[in-house]
């Protein structure tokens, strides 16, 4: 990309994009309805205020506004900058496009210069103050041209993701919304519903919480401000999947209401094995096939450097670490480190770690 | 404990208990309906075959049989060893006790020598071949005396857990079943139902899977053989909670069916914030209050030793690692390491890591 690039919306995504492009030497101009949000982004080095250079002819406009105002900002940008490609970075695509098409029906818009995109990065914190130019490194960035998107516009949209180090993939807007409804919105909904059941739990009961509950409810800590617009904009695909899950839930409740009835054991087994089958389809490391790795658990004292020491020794032993998790279930000043390795390496590693004095639990 | 200890059932739990007690110098005798399972356990060093010493007078009998046969094995042990304390280690307690009380109604059993227990350890692999004596180190072991359990029997049951390095807690059988229904069985059920939705997903859609989906569906890989008896034995408490979740699900579907209706945005926000509130009640490290830690993400090359090097340097910088997760969403030969630290340490750590050349994404 050559630039200049105009960015509307200096939250986490907009500011990170500005930082990343500025670091590559492109000219970046920023705008935000909140003067203080804009000010933080400028101070961080994400770009200069657009209002200081109102006559700019940008190569690209990035709309990083919330999904409920996104389409209008895209429409305004298409009109104000008649030579620019305009992309958005919302996590829903169909609703944005539909709203743009409605706006264009009233006041013709050149939608050939619009390409919807979705960078899938940046979960933990919101706001410009947490922005980093490297946010998109090695993360997926989905490009969703609509049927009227011009080839040149699609190229510029792709260059944006590539220049920021992302891994590109192409989806139609509808395919995208169905996909994220399944792999992102469904787990969020169910995580929140499960976690909500804990609101009135006795502390004594919660003391038995293990890693299973922690894993299932981890994303229940997500921010309502971010999720309400997503739920509203992608409601239909989400509801379709929730209806299917609802059917399975009703069947399960019926089975458990009569657990000794003929066929009940098989029905219960099918609930678990259907979950096995679905879970096994999730891609493994680097998008490859899901690998059946072998796991071991090592007890470490909660002293600084213990985990680093363990990993260093595993490296010395010559075994590659495929995955790593910490288990917080224990009630004493010790941590459990779960390590996954190739199955063939499991036994030699357990032996060698035990010889070196590590407490291998399993 | 003095021993001898008789263990019925040489699967993962029974064999691990045998190993742990044998390592402490206690005499352990083993029994299992499967001669080969027994043989493996004996070969591992978990104890000697009970049939070689049929006249033994054990201090304690541990019944580590599946929940559907557990009560009968407990009843037989109470009769065969009239001076022994008998415990079971099933993950459900009420069903076992009820069945024992029914058996006792026909043929009087001395239930004062019976104490139900539940060691909460050992998830990843089943079978004697994966057993380790350290399995219970620092893990919760719940003691569930019924109203007729004798004080001495409870003492012996507690000693078993303590000798194996576990952290004890006390629940009534009913409290226990309600607690595990909520913190263990509910997340398993919902994880399986979410994962089942992936069975017919297009691979293209699955390529967008991030850590949220992976976290929610991790335990969907669980074993049906282990879970069907648990579901059957704890069906009632599980159904009670599933009915509550079902109500919330119906409400959510209704809200998403009309996302622009008055009150819909608030209803959506309440789904997320109820999940926030429940998740925040899960205990933090070592059973303490849930701490709000700060997270950062570091991109590392997928080379051996990189993660160890990163952790070593974080230790050199002098910051304590509170939690650690790996993110597999990236599509290239790189991994993302998510580190959590005390909030006050976040900025200094990000600065120092960046100076040392690490790619901090966020």
């Amino acid at each position: 990309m050559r630039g200049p690039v105009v960015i509307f919306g200096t939250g986490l995504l907009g500011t990170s994009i500005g930082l990343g492009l500025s670091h590559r030497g492109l000219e970046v101009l920023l705008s935000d309805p909140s003067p203080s949000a804009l000010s933080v982004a400028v101070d961080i080095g994400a770009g200069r205020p657009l209002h200081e250079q109102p006559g700019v002819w940008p190569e690209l406009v990035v709309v990083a506004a919330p999904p409920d105002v996104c389409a209008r900002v895209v429409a305004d940008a298409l009109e104000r900058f008649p030579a620019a490609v305009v992309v958005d970075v919302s996590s829903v695509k169909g609703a944005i496009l539909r709203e743009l098409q409605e706006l264009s029906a009233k006041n013709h818009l050149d939608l050939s210069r619009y390409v919807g995109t979705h960078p899938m990065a940046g979960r933990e914190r919101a706001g410009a103050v947490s922005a980093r130019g490297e946010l998109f490194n090695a993360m997926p960035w989905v490009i969703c041209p609509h049927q009227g998107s011009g080839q040149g516009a699609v190229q510029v949209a792709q260059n944006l993701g590539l220049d920021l180090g992302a891994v590109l993939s192409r989806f139609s807007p509808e395919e995208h919304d169905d996909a994220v409804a399944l792999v992102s919105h469904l787990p969020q909904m169910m995580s929140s519903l499960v976690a909500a059941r804990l609101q009135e739990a006795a502390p004594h009961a919660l003391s038995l919480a293990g890693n299973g509950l922690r894993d299932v409810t981890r994303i229940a800590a997500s921010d309502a401000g971010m999720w309400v617009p997503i739920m509203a904009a992608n409601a239909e695909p989400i509801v379709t999947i929730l209806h299917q899950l609802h059917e399975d839930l009703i069947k399960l409740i019926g089975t458990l209401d009569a657990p000794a009835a003929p066929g009940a054991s098989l029905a219960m087994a099918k609930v678990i094995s259907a979950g096995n089958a679905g879970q096994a389809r999730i891609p493994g490391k680097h998008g490859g096939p899901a690998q059946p790795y072998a796991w071991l658990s090592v007890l470490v004292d909660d002293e600084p450097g213990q985990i680093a020491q363990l990993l260093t020794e595993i490296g010395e032993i010559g075994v590659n670490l495929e995955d790593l998790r910490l288990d917080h279930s224990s009630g004493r000043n010790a941590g459990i480190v779960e390590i996954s390795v190739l199955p063939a390496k499991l036994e030699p590693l357990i032996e060698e770690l035990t010889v070196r004095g590590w407490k291998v639990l399993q």
Side-chain angles (χ1 to χ4, degrees), chain A:
Chain A
M1 283 183 38
R2 301 175 328 264
V5 178
V6 169
I7 301 177
F8 285 100
T10 56
L12 176 71
L13 284 187
T15 309
S16 297
I17 292 169
L19 276 172
L21 295 177
S22 295
H23 290 160
R24 291 181 69 88
L26 271 72
E27 183 188 3
V28 178
L29 298 157
L30 307 171
S31 172
D32 194 287
S34 156
S36 55
L38 177 62
S39 191
V40 170
V42 169
D43 288 352
I44 286 181
R48 289 183 301 114
L50 173 63
H51 59 70
E52 290 177 4
Q53 203 166 319
V56 64
W57 282 75
E59 176 190 17
L60 169 69
V61 177
V62 178
V63 174
D68 41 355
V69 298
C70 181
R72 264 167 290 155
V73 179
V74 169
D76 289 347
L78 284 169
E79 286 187 305
R80 176 173 171 178
F81 302 108
V85 172
V86 181
V87 302
D88 81 293
V89 294
S90 302
S91 52
V92 291
K93 301 269 60 78
I96 311 287
L97 180 64
R98 279 189 296 276
E99 199 181 334
L100 274 170
Q101 289 165 336
E102 284 165 25
L103 291 169
S104 187
K106 299 173 196 159
N107 260 329
H108 174 75
L109 297 166
D110 180 11
L111 294 181
S112 73
R113 291 183 288 116
Y114 165 68
V115 180
T117 82
H118 179 198
M120 301 187 71
R123 240 183 324 114
E124 296 290 351
R125 289 186 303 282
V129 68
S130 308
R132 294 191 62 81
E134 300 82 2
L135 184 67
F136 310 98
N137 269 228
M139 295 300 286
W141 196 311
V142 190
I143 311 293
C144 304
H146 60 98
Q147 290 186 329
S149 299
Q151 276 297 93
V154 175
Q155 193 66 52
V156 173
Q158 288 175 171
N159 290 343
L160 172 66
L162 290 171
D163 279 4
L164 291 170
V167 179
L168 302 190
S169 63
R170 173 99 55 122
F171 280 72
S172 77
E174 190 179 348
E175 274 181 320
H176 166 277
D177 290 351
D178 288 342
V180 295
L182 179 66
V183 305
S184 172
H185 306 165
L186 170 69
Q188 178 64 58
M189 297 297 97
M190 299 319 296
S191 184
S192 296
L193 290 192
V194 170
R197 296 285 101 231
L198 306 179
Q199 289 179 96
E200 271 134 38
H204 201 38
L206 289 165
S207 73
L208 299 187
N211 256 14
L213 180 67
R214 287 183 169 88
D215 282 348
V216 168
T217 60
R218 181 162 295 115
I219 56 175
S222 292
D223 175 47
M226 177 181 121
W227 274 95
V228 170
I230 293 173
M231 290 162 77
N234 210 31
E236 232 184 276
I238 295 174
V239 163
T240 299
I241 300 171
L242 289 183
H243 271 302
Q244 295 165 354
L245 189 138
H246 174 245
E247 276 186 45
D248 287 349
L249 179 61
I250 292 294
K251 266 194 223 130
L252 173 58
I253 289 175
T255 298
L256 293 177
D257 269 335
S265 293
L266 179 59
M268 287 183 240
K270 282 182 166 179
V271 168
I272 304 294
S273 67
N276 292 164
Q279 195 266 356
R281 298 193 68 227
I282 297 174
K285 282 176 70 170
H286 315 314
Q291 298 280 9
Y293 292 119
W295 285 88
L296 65 144
S297 303
V298 182
L299 187 74
V300 299
D301 297 321
D302 193 24
E303 301 285 320
Q306 278 278 295
I307 301 174
Q309 183 61 30
L310 173 64
L311 297 194
T312 302
E313 292 194 26
I314 292 174
E316 284 168 7
I317 295 168
V319 174
N320 197 42
L321 187 82
E322 304 295 340
D323 201 353
L324 173 70
R325 298 200 304 256
L326 298 194
D327 181 333
H328 296 294
S329 316
S330 83
R332 287 211 297 262
N333 239 30
I336 295 172
V337 183
E338 298 178 352
I339 310 273
S340 110
V341 299
L342 289 172
K345 303 278 191 179
L346 180 70
E347 292 305 328
L349 181 61
I350 292 181
E351 270 196 56
E352 183 59 38
L353 285 176
T354 308
V355 159
R356 285 163 174 255
W358 293 96
K359 286 190 128 179
V360 178
L361 303 187
Q362 188 189 12

